[in-house]
Amino acid sequence: MSDLDRRQFLKVSAMSAAAVVVPPMASTAQAADVAASTTIKPLAAAEVHGVTHTLASYIVKARYEDLPANVRKEGTRTLLNWVGVAVGGSHHETIERAVAALGPFSGPRQAGLFGRRERFDIMNAAFINGVSSHIFDYDDTHLKTIIHPGGPVISALIALSEYRPITGKDFLNALILGVETECRIGNSVYPNHYDVGWHITGTAGVFGAAAAVGKILGLNEQQMVWALGLAASQPVGLRESFGSMNKSFNPGRAASNGLFAALLAEKNFTSSEGMIEAKRGWANTISTKQDYREITEGLGTRYESALNTYKPFACGIVIHPAIDAAIQLRNEYHLTAEQVAGIEIRVHPLVIELTGKKTPQIGLEGKFSVFHSVAAALIDGAAGEKQYSDAAVRNPKIIALRDKVNAIIDPKIKPEQVDMTITTTDGRKLHRFIEHAIGSVEVPMTDAQLEVKFADLIDGILPKAQSKRLMDLCWKIEQLPLAGVIAKNAVAMG
């Protein structure tokens, strides 16, 4: 979801989605059983030594061959989803302004901008592609920390892949290690770090980008320690930026900052030996909570990256249950807007706190309106980026239906649930209760659904044949001799 204060929403899902490796065919119940047996206890103050070195050592030694099959598959899905949202966001006015601002100062044309014709130096390409991948609030989400892992990590890696040859297997291994790094570090300080106002995708994402790029560069353990230390010196992103272009700046800057850190470390630019855990280091400076076992325990045996999720709707996760219910009722009863007399949704207080805008005026505001989202979903049967355009929030038909949505706060309803009743003009009462919405850990998007999302995002930006080829390349990342072919097929031709 968009990075608002979703801590309350995530308490339940975080408990049921402990970071463990689950065999590909394991059930949710089996996952919960394993999670219950892997409770992590915080390290005592006297035990806090060598966290940065332990993590660096793991990153340097970790091999593609050691990755479980389900972890590799989730890494591939993360890549596919990121490519779709990066191309999809490439012509948003935010990107137009970034290109105009940075174009005159860009260095050599080393890397392409997804969905566009321009080429920039790898540092600026990583930044702009990172912004593009987040501008729609449609990217991946690690629900335990609400980090959007793909933006910082893949934006840095994909830019480097055009400058330096990288095999598909090495790319995927680095991607997974980057996601693992940022999510584990995020776990160690969440939620306190987020609660005081930091945008955790930026502040933890820079570590993921540094780790991923450092892995490709072949850094040794000492150099990786320095790369993580230099990343720690560059936390970026405040929650005050939400609702503006600055929000997407954060994962973009995390990507370029992480790339910057790894390149410096490769040339032996030094840092502290314990920048993550030291008394005046990253975790102690920016958070009142430090749980370093989240970083060091189970490295190589439990994977946070296996828990990544993907949004079916281009808005905050707290709205997803209501959208899911609206679409289900619409499709089951063939509802039209004209048949609806009223819509009652019973929701947790957090839903109104975060998404209670009744009269959004622009598309970005619509993403924070449960009223607009339900109305648009009932009319269009979807809640993609097209349903959150400026035109959509000003559409008289959507506005009329929006005004019929009555949200009732019910503390008995969990944040991830909704209880919806639609009253029709002929007096029928149509009811739907959503326990877990599509896109959650419990009801993940299928590969086919991810492909539909991908194609919808790219439609009108790249030709259909090119879009299909790009999708196939993402699925086949492990077989690619050169991962940079993905970037070459993601730019506008001509």
Side-chain angles (χ1 to χ4, degrees):
M1 67 179 289
S2 60
D3 288 314
L4 291 169
D5 185 2
R6 298 170 291 184
R7 174 165 62 89
Q8 298 175 54
F9 167 66
L10 294 166
K11 281 181 180 177
V12 175
S13 59
M15 291 174 63
S16 65
V20 294
V21 177
V22 181
M25 299 305 293
S27 67
T28 302
Q30 288 173 311
D33 289 342
V34 178
S37 67
T38 57
T39 302
I40 297 172
K41 297 179 181 179
L43 285 168
E47 297 179 275
V48 180
H49 297 292
V51 173
T52 304
H53 265 279
T54 299
L55 179 59
S57 177
Y58 167 69
I59 296 167
V60 168
K61 296 174 183 176
R63 305 183 311 156
Y64 165 84
E65 292 77 14
D66 297 330
L67 293 172
N70 64 314
V71 174
R72 296 199 305 269
K73 178 59 182 291
E74 211 57 61
T76 303
R77 282 160 54 89
T78 296
L79 173 63
L80 179 76
N81 188 78
W82 181 88
V83 170
V85 293
V87 175
S90 61
H91 291 273
H92 191 276
E93 61 177 326
T94 301
I95 306 305
E96 301 292 352
R97 295 181 186 188
V99 169
L102 299 177
F105 310 104
S106 178
R109 298 179 179 181
Q110 298 164 329
L113 302 184
F114 276 42
R116 303 180 65 94
R117 292 186 175 88
E118 297 92 343
R119 292 184 67 80
F120 278 58
D121 61 274
I122 63 170
M123 207 69 68
N124 279 307
F127 167 72
I128 294 174
N129 285 331
V131 174
S132 183
S133 72
H134 191 62
I135 192 61
F136 283 167
D137 263 318
Y138 209 5
D139 41 357
D140 55 344
T141 307
H142 175 255
L143 290 173
K144 289 171 64 178
T145 57
I146 58 175
I147 290 171
H148 302 294
V153 171
I154 304 177
S155 302
L157 275 179
I158 208 79
L160 185 66
S161 75
E162 290 202 75
Y163 180 71
R164 181 184 184 119
I166 306 172
T167 68
K169 288 181 179 179
D170 286 345
F171 185 98
L172 185 62
N173 189 37
L175 186 166
I176 291 167
L177 289 172
V179 171
E180 199 67 23
T181 296
E182 64 186 319
C183 292
R184 281 174 169 268
I185 290 175
N187 283 347
S188 74
V189 295
Y190 187 83
N192 306 43
H193 167 68
Y194 188 80
D195 285 347
V196 299
W198 288 100
H199 184 187
I200 196 168
T201 295
T203 56
V206 64
F207 290 103
V213 172
K215 182 66 175 179
I216 294 299
L217 296 178
L219 301 188
N220 61 36
E221 182 177 329
Q222 179 62 80
Q223 291 170 323
M224 188 65 76
V225 167
W226 292 335
L228 294 173
L230 293 166
S233 293
Q234 302 176 88
V236 59
L238 301 172
R239 288 173 52 208
E240 178 61 25
S241 67
F242 293 2
S244 71
M245 295 177 181
N246 191 165
K247 182 175 186 289
S248 293
F249 170 97
N250 302 334
R253 198 60 181 164
S256 56
N257 283 355
L259 176 59
F260 190 78
L263 291 172
L264 286 172
E266 184 187 28
K267 300 303 180 183
N268 297 322
F269 195 107
T270 68
S271 180
S272 164
E273 297 296 297
M275 280 288 278
I276 295 174
E277 75 275 13
K279 181 178 179 181
R280 294 179 179 85
W282 183 85
N284 282 305
T285 300
I286 64 174
S287 179
T288 57
K289 173 203 171 187
Q290 302 83 28
D291 187 352
Y292 298 112
R293 285 191 194 274
E294 289 283 3
I295 300 175
T296 60
E297 193 164 283
L299 285 167
T301 59
R302 65 175 181 86
Y303 288 86
E304 296 296 320
S305 54
L307 300 175
N308 207 9
T309 67
Y310 315 94
K311 294 182 181 179
F313 311 125
C315 62
I317 284 176
V318 293
I319 308 179
H320 287 203
I323 294 171
D324 198 354
I327 292 175
Q328 287 189 31
L329 289 173
R330 172 191 185 271
N331 293 343
E332 183 174 342
Y333 295 99
H334 307 288
L335 285 176
T336 64
E338 294 73 22
Q339 294 174 303
V340 176
I343 306 163
E344 178 185 285
I345 54 173
R346 305 187 75 85
V347 297
H348 187 275
L350 188 63
V351 176
I352 302 304
E353 176 188 337
L354 301 181
T355 63
K357 292 182 180 294
K358 290 190 174 182
T359 58
Q361 300 301 307
I362 61 174
L364 288 176
E365 289 185 344
K367 294 176 182 289
F368 302 104
S369 173
V370 68
F371 305 95
H372 167 79
S373 298
V374 167
L378 274 168
I379 290 173
D380 292 348
E385 188 52 33
K386 294 179 178 65
Q387 283 69 46
Y388 292 100
S389 65
D390 290 350
V393 299
R394 297 168 186 165
N395 183 324
K397 187 175 181 179
I398 292 179
I399 291 173
L401 189 57
R402 183 185 75 196
D403 292 341
K404 297 179 181 180
V405 178
N406 179 31
I408 299 173
I409 293 176
D410 186 346
K412 292 181 292 185
I413 300 292
K414 296 178 182 179
E416 69 272 23
Q417 300 174 338
V418 74
D419 193 325
M420 176 178 288
T421 301
I422 296 177
T423 302
T424 64
T425 52
D426 60 5
R428 289 177 294 159
K429 300 280 187 181
L430 310 179
H431 178 258
R432 188 59 38 95
F433 179 80
I434 298 294
E435 181 77 24
H436 298 289
I438 182 175
S440 62
V441 172
E442 294 79 6
V443 190
M445 290 186 73
T446 65
D447 289 354
Q449 289 168 333
L450 279 177
E451 289 185 347
V452 170
K453 175 182 175 180
F454 181 99
D456 181 63
L457 281 162
I458 294 178
D459 184 40
I461 299 175
L462 300 180
K464 291 189 182 300
Q466 185 179 350
S467 174
K468 179 63 168 63
R469 183 165 62 250
L470 183 58
M471 182 188 297
D472 290 341
L473 288 169
C474 290
W475 282 130
K476 296 175 181 176
I477 181 64
E478 294 173 273
Q479 286 79 49
L480 298 181
L482 292 173
V485 69
I486 291 176
K488 288 179 172 57
N489 279 271
V491 299
M493 305 299 182

